[in-house]
Amino acid sequence: MCGIVGYIGKNEAKNVLIDGLAKLEYRGYDSAGISVLNNKITTVKAKGQLANLVKKSKDFNLEGNIGIGHTRWATHGEPSDLNSHPHLTENKKISVVHNGIIENYEELREELKNKGKKFVSQTDTEVVPHLIETFYEGNLLDAVIKATKRIEGSYALGVICEDEPDTVVAVRKDSPLIVGLGDGENFIASDIPAILKHTKDVYLLNDKEFVVLEKDKVTLFDENKNEIKKDVYKVTFDDTAAQKGGFDHFMLKEIYEQPKAIKDTLAGRVIPKERIVLDNIDKDAFQNIERIFIVACGTAYHAGLIGKNAIERLSGVPVDVDIASEFRYRNPILTKNTLVMVISQSGETADTLAALRLSKERGCKTFAITNVVGSSVSREADYVLYTHAGPEIAVASTKAYITQLVALYTFALYLAQDRNYIEREKIESIKEELLTLSDKVEKSLENSKISKEIAQKIHKETDIFYLGRGMDYAVAMEGSLKLKEISYIHSEPYAGGELKHGPIALIENGTVVICLNTNKELRGKMDSNIKEVVTRGAYIVGVIPESYTDNLETYNTIIRIPDTDPILSPVASVVPLQLIAYYVAIEKDCNVDKPRNLAKSVTVE
């Protein structure tokens, strides 16, 4: 959940580390720290924002050309200076940054205490430098390799040692870590934006791959210390892609980037009157699939609910959707004719990755939808479909979500074209509509003024409800989540037909209910559900298609979206909900891009 940066080279390490950590702030954190080596290791750590670390650093001599840095999101021990990373040995000769969770840390801690090691923090990470020290006999790489053989859990580690002033050692297992290759300087980082200012050439580390960084050399090893070779991955986006581009916040920028992201995700895959092409996937790959599980977390889970509806309606293949953190623990029935599809923006989501690995162990075919090339799920799944949303910096997902929807529609149509479940003409009609979604989202964005006016009216509410049926219910879930994530207003989504089974007791005069009513097949039923809350005094915000002209008097405010095939309406209908959440958060003066307690990439269980 944290951010790691490491540097060795010709420049001042302090500046590179702090700049890199700033580029990783989107991942979410509660404290930060750096260690710089110059004859001895000097470490500065501070609770709270990176600015606190910068201010505190002025009181220390941090000259030096080698160092490691970290932004922490607390898992073991409260946010504090002491619990912040880096963590060091008692003699301050070894410093470590860590992303992940050491599952057997209590056992290791007791063992190390019995050997005379003293601990000052509440973290699991602090066992790592002490463990490395017990194995250190003049070669840092050897000591790190031996230490990791004792560690159970997930980790990405960056390590420096006073006795080896020209070396950074790093390793990953189940937590993301990359190596940046420069001219007379080299880097490690949790994610590409941290080093993009310096290099576009990277190594993507696999599990249990170790790296030794020197100023002019990078050497990779496996866990048996066999040297390995790896292709250099060329980053195709530049540093400006991770900047705000004139918008007030990354989130707003990314909402307005959605039309392009949709086009990029469809490009080369969906062409009128031609077969849909999925990257590096044979047309017979899913011929024997009898059942699909979609497994994801949070926003990606909501995309999966819409994907279930689309896949079943278009291909006739039954689909179950699971929350990834629950999937493994219910002992799912998985067979060789089951396809497990995992969805993760980062491709590093710990629970989703664990579900993928379980499915592979059970002999299932696996399929990943992700936004990050070279991520763990993309490398470990049998098949992968990239969403091409580009870098998403804001913690609350928007363009990654909408491209997940587009990817799921593309996959559903891919299955449908060979299964004869619906007419060929219907498939072609939906393909043509799919190719118009970019323009329709552009049109939805033109109504941003209405979303802003709604936000100004409702931002002081303490409870807001979202209502929908069918796919509209799944969109309501996503709209409600967005509002909770960035404005901290309590909100709940409900299926329209469930109102009478309890939730209607919560409706009173002035209660805000945001109602999605985009499906003509369910319109009559939804109209009735809306009237049920109107008669109890609710204030109704309606999201409806342009062609809908009946019962308009039931809405206090209306947001129009472009007409499209009902199966595709979630793409356009989610846009005003994203904007409402954004503008409510602005009215409440919330930190839109970095909401409290949240992280962009959830890399711990």
Side-chain angles (χ1 to χ4, degrees), residues 12 48 185 247 283 285 396 414 424 482 503 522 566 582 598:
E12 287 291 331
E185 57 184 1
F247 289 90
K283 68 182 184 69
Y414 179 86
R424 176 68 55 182
K482 283 293 153 286
L522 300 172
Y582 172 79
L598 297 181

Side-chain angles (χ1 to χ4, degrees), residues 342 344-347 368-372 375 377-378 384-388:
V342 297
S344 168
Q345 186 280 140
S346 68
I369 293 178
T370 182
N371 190 38
V372 181
S375 59
V377 300
S378 72
V384 62
L385 183 59
Y386 291 111
T387 55
H388 300 312

Side-chain angles (χ1 to χ4, degrees), residues 161-368:
C161 176
E162 182 180 305
D163 294 336
E164 298 188 30
D166 301 315
T167 301
V168 177
V169 173
V171 59
R172 70 153 281 175
K173 177 183 175 289
D174 300 330
S175 291
L177 196 68
I178 63 166
V179 178
L181 307 173
D183 180 13
E185 57 184 1
N186 292 298
F187 313 79
I188 57 169
S190 296
D191 205 352
I192 289 170
I195 59 173
L196 198 52
K197 178 179 178 180
H198 306 281
T199 181
K200 292 189 176 184
D201 294 339
V202 302
Y203 287 139
L204 304 171
L205 295 184
N206 293 314
D207 280 353
K208 295 187 177 180
E209 288 184 347
F210 297 77
V211 58
V212 176
L213 268 66
E214 301 170 72
K215 184 173 70 170
D216 298 306
K217 184 180 179 183
V218 170
T219 314
L220 302 170
F221 299 90
D222 65 17
E223 60 184 321
N224 298 313
K225 207 182 175 183
N226 297 312
E227 189 171 342
I228 57 178
K229 300 296 181 183
K230 188 178 284 287
D231 292 335
V232 174
Y233 171 68
K234 297 277 188 181
V235 179
T236 56
F237 55 87
D238 59 28
D239 194 36
T240 59
Q243 306 306 313
K244 294 177 185 175
F247 289 90
D248 290 337
H249 298 90
F250 282 115
M251 183 178 178
L252 188 61
K253 173 178 178 281
E254 288 155 9
I255 289 171
Y256 276 86
E257 287 176 341
Q258 289 179 129
K260 180 180 184 301
I262 291 170
K263 285 182 180 178
D264 290 345
T265 300
L266 292 171
R269 293 169 174 164
V270 180
I271 301 171
K273 303 192 183 336
E274 293 187 19
R275 284 188 63 84
I276 290 174
V277 177
L278 299 185
D279 314 341
N280 301 312
I281 298 176
D282 184 83
K283 68 182 184 69
D284 298 322
F286 309 117
Q287 192 171 30
N288 298 320
I289 293 302
E290 298 173 352
R291 186 182 186 187
I292 296 172
F293 282 95
I294 297 177
V295 184
C297 302
T299 286
Y301 170 74
H302 298 157
L305 293 172
I306 292 168
K308 166 187 167 69
N309 195 308
I311 292 168
E312 289 184 340
R313 287 192 177 203
L314 297 179
S315 73
V317 179
V319 180
D320 293 296
V321 186
D322 271 76
I323 297 170
S325 57
E326 296 290 329
F327 181 71
R328 285 185 294 159
Y329 304 111
R330 71 174 184 83
N331 194 25
I333 299 171
L334 304 172
T335 71
K336 65 178 182 180
N337 292 329
T338 300
L339 176 68
V340 176
M341 177 182 289
V342 297
I343 310 174
S344 168
Q345 186 280 140
S346 68
E348 303 291 351
T349 310
D351 289 313
T352 305
L353 193 53
L356 170 65
R357 289 168 177 166
L358 172 68
S359 305
K360 289 178 72 69
E361 288 172 10
R362 298 279 186 89
C364 299
K365 287 185 176 181
T366 55
F367 186 103

Side-chain angles (χ1 to χ4, degrees), residues 270-276 417 424-425 427-429 431-432 435:
V270 180
I271 301 171
K273 303 192 183 336
E274 293 187 19
R275 284 188 63 84
I276 290 174
Q417 62 194 0
R424 176 68 55 182
E425 293 77 13
I427 293 174
E428 287 302 320
S429 172
K431 280 169 64 178
E432 289 177 7
L435 291 168

Side-chain angles (χ1 to χ4, degrees), residues 39-101:
N39 296 319
K40 67 175 185 177
I41 295 174
T42 302
T43 300
V44 186
K45 306 194 286 186
K47 176 184 173 182
Q49 296 296 304
L50 193 60
N52 297 345
L53 176 66
V54 173
K55 182 178 179 181
K56 192 173 180 180
S57 296
K58 294 176 181 178
D59 297 328
F60 292 79
N61 179 4
L62 288 166
E63 293 181 358
N65 307 114
I66 173 174
I68 51 178
H70 189 274
T71 48
R72 176 179 186 252
W73 190 87
T75 57
H76 294 70
E78 65 183 8
S80 70
D81 290 3
L82 272 180
N83 288 332
S84 304
H85 298 213
H87 288 285
L88 296 93
T89 52
E90 188 178 357
N91 62 12
K92 306 289 193 282
K93 285 195 169 188
I94 295 174
S95 180
V96 172
V97 289
H98 165 230
N99 182 11
I101 289 180

Side-chain angles (χ1 to χ4, degrees), residues 27 59 129 179 245 261 312 338 389 404 415 441 448 522 542 569 574 579:
R27 296 171 69 89
D59 297 328
V179 178
E312 289 184 340
T338 300
Q404 287 166 357
L415 283 186
V441 168
S448 63
L522 300 172
S569 65
V574 77
L579 289 167

